[in-house]
């Protein structure tokens, strides 16, 4: 394990540009706490609390986690081949419907430029599939809440490393850092990464023949069903709250693909309620 001698203190930038400011989403509006123009109207999140999350409201700690697990486990499952088309919808560039936005580089790239060449994009398992040895099996291996389009070579650099602050900056992807045992994504997606990891920990708890996935405060977790560093992931979630792109992505998955939600996008405060 490295000593992280190059560790940096992450500071949220003064301005993080929203990737998507206004996108029409099928079925219902993107969940937001912004007030509506009609007096007495309820926000989309409040509506979800009355419907989708009603069995979780008022709970904390393990009870909240258990309730959310039951809620989000009701989902449509995809094959690994179906993930390609799913990502073309979930990660569409709001300014160019022919492109997707790549997670670590932020680059807008053609939806059809996917494959195995170094500058293609491929399917990144944010919860590394070797951490719990679930591979690309239908279930955690195909859950698009944690699968994102990424540059092939940057994906290779991240590999199966845990997440933490520190390391050397990637020349191909400025703002991302890595060392022997960890990877630090660019500031604009730190919260996204954290909330994807924590979604996986709630969704997959040892049922259906898959491992019980849990974050911990370690790095170099290897093939254990754990990813760290939890304390850093909590900081990232608090410092980079959900933006319009992340909210839209959650809604598209709910409306059109898996029909379940990442609760930490709708309720970021639940991170601290579960992992104190």
């Amino acid at each position: 394990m490295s000593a992280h001698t190059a560790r940096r203190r992450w500071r949220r930038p003064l301005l993080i540009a929203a990737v998507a400011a206004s996108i029409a989403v099928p079925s219902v509006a993107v969940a937001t706490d912004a007030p509506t123009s009609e007096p007495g109207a309820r926000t989309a999140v409040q509506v979800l609390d009355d419907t989708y999350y009603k069995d979780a409201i008022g709970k904390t700690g393990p009870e909240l986690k258990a309730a959310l697990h039951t809620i989000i486990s009701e989902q449509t499952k995809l094959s690994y081949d179906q993930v390609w088309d799913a990502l073309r919808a979930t990660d569409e560039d709001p300014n160019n419907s022919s492109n997707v936005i790549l997670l670590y580089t932020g680059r807008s790239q053609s939806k059809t430029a996917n494959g195995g060449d170094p500058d293609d994009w491929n399917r990144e398992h944010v919860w590394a599939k070797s951490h719990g040895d679930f591979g690309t099996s239908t279930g955690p291996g195909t859950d698009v809440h944690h699968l994102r389009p990424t540059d092939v070579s940057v994906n290779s650099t991240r590999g199966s490393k845990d997440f933490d602050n520190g390391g050397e900056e990637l020349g191909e992807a400025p703002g991302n850092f890595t060392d022997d045992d960890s990877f630090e994504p660019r500031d604009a997606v730190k919260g996204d990464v954290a909330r994807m990891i924590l979604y996986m920990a709630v969704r997959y708890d040892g049922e259906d023949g898959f491992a019980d996935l849990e974050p911990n405060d370690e790095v170099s977790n290897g093939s254990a069903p754990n990813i760290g560093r939890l304390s850093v992931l909590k900081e990232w979630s608090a410092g980079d709250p959900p933006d319009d792109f992340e909210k839209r992505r959650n809604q598209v998955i709910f409306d059109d693909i898996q029909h379940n939600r990442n609760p930490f996008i709708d309720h970021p405060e639940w991170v601290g309620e579960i992992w104190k």
Side-chain angles (χ1 to χ4, degrees), residues 3-60:
H4 289 269
T5 56
R7 187 175 310 285
R8 309 176 308 119
R9 178 183 294 273
W10 173 60
R11 291 176 294 180
R12 188 184 178 198
L14 294 178
L15 176 64
I16 299 176
V19 182
S22 57
I23 295 180
V25 176
S27 301
V28 299
V30 174
T32 176
D33 284 326
T36 65
S37 57
E38 297 181 14
R42 299 178 66 76
T43 67
V45 170
Q46 288 172 328
V47 171
L48 287 168
D49 288 350
D50 288 345
T51 54
Y52 189 72
Y53 292 123
K54 62 183 176 62
D55 292 334
I57 299 303
K59 294 181 170 66
T60 62

Side-chain angles (χ1 to χ4, degrees), residues 198-271:
L198 300 177
Y199 161 88
M200 292 292 284
V202 172
R203 171 61 186 88
Y204 299 99
D205 68 352
E207 298 175 349
D208 302 325
F210 297 112
D212 182 2
L213 305 183
E214 287 294 336
N216 62 16
D217 218 36
E218 306 294 330
V219 291
S220 292
N221 276 297
S223 61
N226 307 107
I227 276 186
R229 188 176 303 265
L230 176 58
S231 58
V232 172
L233 293 171
K234 290 172 65 178
E235 290 176 1
W236 290 356
S237 182
D240 174 35
D243 62 14
D244 287 344
F245 187 89
E246 190 180 2
K247 291 175 183 178
R248 175 197 177 273
R249 189 176 197 278
N250 195 30
Q251 195 71 44
V252 171
I253 293 171
F254 180 61
D255 285 341
D256 300 332
I257 300 172
Q258 292 185 176
H259 311 296
N260 71 339
R261 304 184 71 86
N262 182 333
F264 304 113
I265 297 173
D266 297 321
H267 282 283
E269 73 278 7
W270 281 347
V271 172

Side-chain angles (χ1 to χ4, degrees), residues 75-92 100-104 121-130 134-151 155 158-159 163 192-193 195-197 199-200 204 245-246 249-250 253 257-258 260 262 265:
Q75 70 179 98
T76 298
K77 297 177 181 178
L78 308 182
S79 71
Y80 199 44
D81 282 343
Q82 288 175 314
V83 168
W84 288 119
D85 283 338
L87 295 184
R88 292 183 178 102
T90 59
D91 291 75
E92 181 179 295
V100 291
I101 299 291
L102 307 191
L103 176 64
Y104 298 131
W121 65 269
N122 62 4
R123 298 159 291 185
E124 156 78 327
H125 290 80
V126 176
W127 185 294
K129 57 184 180 289
S130 62
F134 53 77
T136 59
S137 300
T138 295
T142 64
D143 194 316
V144 293
H145 275 295
H146 85 117
L147 281 156
R148 299 292 292 267
T150 56
D151 177 272
N155 188 350
R158 188 264 158 142
F163 293 103
D192 307 51
V193 166
R195 287 181 284 273
M196 286 185 278
I197 292 295
Y199 161 88
M200 292 292 284
Y204 299 99
F245 187 89
E246 190 180 2
R249 189 176 197 278
N250 195 30
I253 293 171
I257 300 172
Q258 292 185 176
N260 71 339
N262 182 333
I265 297 173

Side-chain angles (χ1 to χ4, degrees), residues 107-130:
R107 187 171 75 238
S108 178
Q109 186 154 327
S110 171
K111 290 180 177 180
T112 61
N114 60 295
D117 291 336
D119 290 324
D120 286 344
W121 65 269
N122 62 4
R123 298 159 291 185
E124 156 78 327
H125 290 80
V126 176
W127 185 294
K129 57 184 180 289
S130 62

